Each structure stands twice: as structure tokens, then as C-alpha cells.
Amino acid sequence: MRSTNNNTLTAGGNAPIESVNEASFLFGEMVRREMEKIGMRCSYRHVLKPLVENASLTQLELVKITNLKAPTISITLRNMEREGIVKREKNDSDRRETHVAITDKGKKMYTKLLAAIEKAEQVMLKGLSEKELKSVAAALDKMSANLRAEMK
């Protein structure tokens, strides 16, 4: 059994599962490091994409889209607002509802985030043939389908 760096608990002895966990952990770690280089908190990546794709979202919509907890979204948005990445506005007709929109600075950060992810993807896939990539994708798709079916 290979040693992993991520402390992910597995039943042990299942090399494919350990490899998936290790690759996922290392990919996330590389993206995190690249984000640090551009001065972005890791938590921002979950919120940026939906905000880029929509003119405005409520905080509740962001909770549903990102699957993050409401307090996590609230703290993340507060930090992003302080940094000028998003702007939040109360709904005039329902003061309990807050709408969030991305700023020009946020759009620029999103572009940098995509570059960081692309770099990590290129590193991760380096040296893999098209055939290997198709095999890996097919196997992972089956694994995901198995888990989805069990979780319904």
C-alpha cells in the first residue's frame, strides 16, 4: 500500500480508491497553492462560478447551488465584499433577502482562478494518452454512478 498525504480513511488495501483519494487531494492542494499565489482564499472558488454565470443570486440560492452551509456562505461573502469581489444588496420588497453580484474585480479573479485550475489539470494529466484518459474517465463515471445510485 502506498503512503498518502491526505489522511483520508479507507478500508485499506484498495489501491484504486486510495489512488482516487490521493489524486483528488493533490489536485485540490495544487489549486489551493495557485490561488494563494494570486491572493485568493480557497473558499471563494465555490462562489465565483455561479456568480459569473448569473447576473445576481440570493444568498439562499448560493447555499443551494454550492451545497455549502448558510453561515459559510455568509462569512465567505462578507470577506469577498470587503475585498471588492462581490457586492451585496438588500431586496427592496423583502429586506430579509440579500442579492449578490460579482464585480469587475471578481470577474478578473475568476479568470485567474480558471488559469490556476487549468495549470493543475495540465500537471495532473501530463503523460497520459488519450486511451488512458478515456479509460480513467469511464471507470470514474461508473464509480460515481454506483455511489449516486446508492445515495438515492
Side-chain angles (χ1 to χ4, degrees), residues 2-32:
R2 220 160 11 93
S3 168
T4 61
N5 298 327
N6 65 3
N7 296 322
T8 300
L9 183 61
T10 63
N14 194 326
I17 298 298
E18 291 172 359
S19 293
V20 166
N21 285 336
E22 180 76 354
S24 177
F25 171 78
L26 291 171
F27 180 82
E29 188 64 15
M30 184 169 183
V31 169
R32 185 192 63 74

Side-chain angles (χ1 to χ4, degrees), residues 57-103:
L57 292 169
T58 66
Q59 286 187 211
L60 183 58
E61 288 170 327
L62 279 170
V63 166
K64 290 177 183 173
I65 291 169
T66 63
N67 292 315
L68 296 172
K69 303 284 185 207
T72 302
I73 289 290
S74 182
I75 291 166
T76 299
L77 291 175
R78 184 183 64 218
N79 291 331
M80 292 174 83
E81 188 174 35
R82 278 190 201 137
E83 294 179 35
I85 299 166
V86 299
K87 59 183 175 188
R88 293 190 289 180
E89 295 178 2
K90 291 284 184 188
N91 182 341
D92 289 336
S93 60
D94 184 351
R95 301 296 291 164
R96 296 170 297 172
E97 191 174 82
T98 302
H99 286 268
V100 184
I102 194 161
T103 64

